[in-house]
Amino acid sequence: MRLAILTAASSLLMALVAAAPAPAPELERRQLLSNVLGEVADLVDGISTQATSPAQVWGELLTALEKPTATATPTSPAQVETALASIYSATPTNLIVNAIEMVQNSLSPSDLNDVLTTYSAGCNSEVNINLRSPSRTIFPKKAAADAPYSLSEAQLRQVIQIPAGFTYGRVPPVVLVPGTGSKGCLTFRANFIKLFQGSQVADPVWLNIPGFLLGDAQVNAEYVAYAINYISAISSNKNVSVIAWSQGNLDTQWALKYWPSTRPIVSDFISISPDFHGTVLAYIVCPGFPTLTCVPSVIQQEYDSDFVTRLRLTDGDSAYVPTTSIYSATDEIVQPQQGTGASAFIKDARGVGVSNNELQTICPGGLAGSVVTHEGVLYNPIAYALAVDALTHSGPGLVSRIDRAGLCQLYAAPGLTVADVVATEGNIPVALAAIALYEPKVVVEPKIKGYATY
Ligand SMILES: *[C@@H]1O[C@H](CO)[C@@H](O)[C@H](O)[C@H]1NC(C)=O
């Protein structure tokens, strides 16, 4: 009797299980989208957690970035460090949440509602008139072994901004390459541009790559390859140097690899917060990925993406020219970023000269080696001193030649103000807004180009 009841009960259960509806992907999707927005709605009033499409989620995230009003204004670089240390004290899972906290702490421009327009004009213009013709043929190819460009020469040349006062080789030219979600002037105006312009050390030009570098990184690399050859060719064929930030380093390394004509004319490659191995945190800028879509170049910067894997193949993880890599173990976007396993760590299989410089190892206990963000390396005093050292000696920058003890006590390079530090930090909220606005977003990375076979 008892057995019969049990049997009946269990077959009822079986029937219930069989009748249960199959997992509803649409409901799960909505739940995930609403979870993504929930974290943001906790921080900002009036954000709806009900979204049925990725486009709606990105719209709400953008609104959340635009809404907060700043409640505190830092008055010294050290106060910026304190605010950043508190914002990034936990391992970030959703960088949009951190970016909103940066807005609340005045570490952001106040005009995030129209970033695509705001940062496409003036010194960030993608359309520049560069009339000087190169002194030798550099397009469609400078050397037979160079990869083919997918862009026209006009497209490649117009993104280069050459400021008034550029000396065309009297002072050594340096090409500044921005990072994901940014423009050349936006990235560098409050650090390297400000410090180098008018100096005898380096004469900066910068690249305003279309799409805020959010499109295919292989195409972004084409702009770098062309700019190296063009700037040298209009500067009496003198060598140039390259300073890149973040993804700009992957693009530069890709350019050096697949456009070998660039290698003999680059004196120094100075890498600020590079992610030569991508980052295990790629998707903190795309919460909910792959349910929520993402921008192509972020998917390409996933730790083991096809793009990163191809770049590193055949000693692509080794320097092609003297390379000075400078990075922070507390990078909130690129991880791992410590020791020989750091994404920034570059090898030297070709014996061209490399220095790998982790700020926390160089300045233990010092402000320059405290909580330094991905963007903070751009204004870091050790980073600037190493860049100057590299540019004024042959081979990479060396810590043994700089005033390590003195510089470790500072949070920003001498000559930079708290306003410069804040302006540089503003790259992150701007990048997040640019990511929210970028279309088309995708779920798989762009195909590797046909030329990249090695
Ligand atoms: C130009 O750069 C190449 C490659 O780094 C280097 O070997 C060469 O010495 C540089 N030339 C000058 C004049 O600095």
Side-chain angles (χ1 to χ4, degrees), residues 239 263-264 266-267 322:
N239 273 13
R263 295 179 207 166
V266 176
S267 286

Side-chain angles (χ1 to χ4, degrees), residues 132 162 165-174 199-205 230-240:
R132 295 213 183 195
I162 302 174
F166 183 66
T167 65
Y168 296 93
R170 192 178 54 73
V171 175
V174 59
S199 81
Q200 297 302 307
V201 172
D203 198 0
V205 304
Y230 180 71
I231 293 299
S232 170
I234 62 167
S235 302
S236 311
N237 296 313
K238 293 228 166 100
N239 273 13
V240 304

Side-chain angles (χ1 to χ4, degrees), residues 44 96 101 161 165 168 181 253-254 324 355-356 375 382 398 434:
V44 183
I96 293 168
E101 292 167 336
Q161 186 152 113
Y168 296 93
Q253 186 75 353
W254 187 275
T324 305
S355 71
N356 286 292
E375 61 284 10
I382 296 288
L398 298 179

Side-chain angles (χ1 to χ4, degrees), residues 94-178:
N94 181 343
L95 194 65
I96 293 168
V97 168
N98 302 111
I100 292 167
E101 292 167 336
M102 292 179 73
V103 176
Q104 291 170 331
N105 282 277
S106 302
L107 299 173
S108 166
S110 52
D111 52 354
L112 286 178
N113 56 332
D114 203 12
V115 290
L116 299 190
T117 317
T118 305
Y119 296 106
S120 295
C123 71
N124 288 297
S125 173
E126 296 163 11
V127 186
N128 301 284
I129 300 165
N130 293 317
L131 292 176
R132 295 213 183 195
S133 296
S135 55
R136 50 173 296 176
T137 301
I138 60 167
F139 188 91
K141 281 181 187 220
K142 183 173 175 185
D146 286 352
Y149 290 108
S150 69
L151 301 171
S152 71
E153 184 165 28
Q155 286 173 307
L156 292 164
R157 195 186 293 180
Q158 69 188 5
V159 309
I160 309 171
Q161 186 152 113
I162 302 174
F166 183 66
T167 65
Y168 296 93
R170 192 178 54 73
V171 175
V174 59
V175 178
L176 305 178
V177 186

